[in-house]
Amino acid sequence: FTINDTTINIEGRLNSKSFFLSTDLTTQWVSGIILALPYLPLGTTLNFDVPLSLSCYPLLTIKVSETFGISHLIDSEKISLEKETKYQASNFRIEGDYSAAANWLAASIFNQKLKVGNLNLESLQADFAIFNHLEKMGISFKYEDGDFSYHSGRLSSTTLDISSSPDLFPVLAALGAVGNGILRIRGIKKLKYKETNRVQMMVQGLKKIGADIELNTEEVMIRGSGILEGGGEVITQNDHRIIMAFAVIAARVRKPFVLMDFLGVSKSYPDFFDQYQNFGGKVEVLK
């Protein structure tokens, strides 16, 4: 392959019969090679550095592939094809995204009429963990008629390990800043390799609007103040998860604050701010 300023040109084909795949930084390339497996020679083996049971998205990718006719042999830390096979047409319903839903679940703590639906109760998505994290923070939800809504509790002190659900860091850190206790978030190693260094950006941004937050080597510690002063300019570097995290805590910020770049939500949730305003949020685009 060749790389220039705007494009990557790739040619040729994969032909190795054994791949070792590290999940240390991300599992996205694991999902990619799982989808490519039917195009590789029969007998090709994908070997992982951890048991597949610990990797939510590769398991979800396998499940989707099997819906389209692919049959896998799975043995803890490796996967191969059971037989030579090709993808077959099928009807498939894409389940709701827990990464996006986490923002509305967080917002429902402050707007208890808000309901969040279209979520698979048996999802393999890593961010299904939002319920466990919020329960540890003192918040419980109820599930009625296909929707989740706030049930009881207040944001209080706890320690969270997000190593298996790092995309939840922005919204959890934002909630911690407007909570009522001390929140410690660990398992943050992967966050520097996201669209931005999300730990650094959230720490800087929350400080801009008055949060008491500090970054140590292995954890972020946040002393919740209930309500933040606001009034600052938050640099988002157009990171979609950072933008949404700040938006959902705006009801707990005294003075309006500015998000420097907000169009990044288009990466995963193009109509986020339309829905935000429909739910009562106030947004003004500054020129």
Side-chain angles (χ1 to χ4, degrees), residues 146-167:
D147 295 324
F148 288 98
S149 59
Y150 170 88
H151 180 252
S152 64
R154 64 200 297 263
L155 295 165
S156 53
S157 298
T158 193
T159 298
L160 303 177
D161 184 340
I162 61 159
S163 54
S164 296
S165 52
D167 285 343

Side-chain angles (χ1 to χ4, degrees), residues 134-248:
L134 289 178
E135 184 177 6
K136 289 181 179 179
M137 294 174 73
I139 304 296
S140 65
F141 290 85
K142 56 185 176 183
Y143 183 76
E144 294 178 340
D145 301 324
D147 295 324
F148 288 98
S149 59
Y150 170 88
H151 180 252
S152 64
R154 64 200 297 263
L155 295 165
S156 53
S157 298
T158 193
T159 298
L160 303 177
D161 184 340
I162 61 159
S163 54
S164 296
S165 52
D167 285 343
L168 292 176
F169 173 77
V171 70
L172 292 172
L175 285 177
V178 296
N180 309 102
I182 297 176
L183 176 65
R184 298 176 185 271
I185 305 179
R186 296 172 180 167
I188 59 177
K189 178 181 177 181
K190 293 181 180 180
L191 289 163
K192 67 174 66 175
Y193 303 105
K194 297 293 183 176
E195 286 84 340
T196 63
N197 183 330
R198 285 184 177 155
V199 173
Q200 185 180 80
M201 298 306 298
M202 285 302 299
V203 170
Q204 291 177 356
L206 287 169
K207 284 184 176 179
K208 286 280 189 178
I209 58 174
D212 184 353
I213 180 171
E214 61 184 77
L215 170 62
N216 300 315
T217 304
E218 300 292 337
E219 70 175 21
V220 172
M221 183 173 69
I222 310 161
R223 298 178 180 86
S225 57
I227 296 179
L228 298 177
E229 185 62 24
E233 294 183 347
V234 176
I235 297 173
T236 69
Q237 291 189 355
N238 255 329
D239 187 318
H240 56 140
R241 302 209 190 283
I242 290 176
I243 296 166
M244 290 186 282
F246 277 97
V248 298

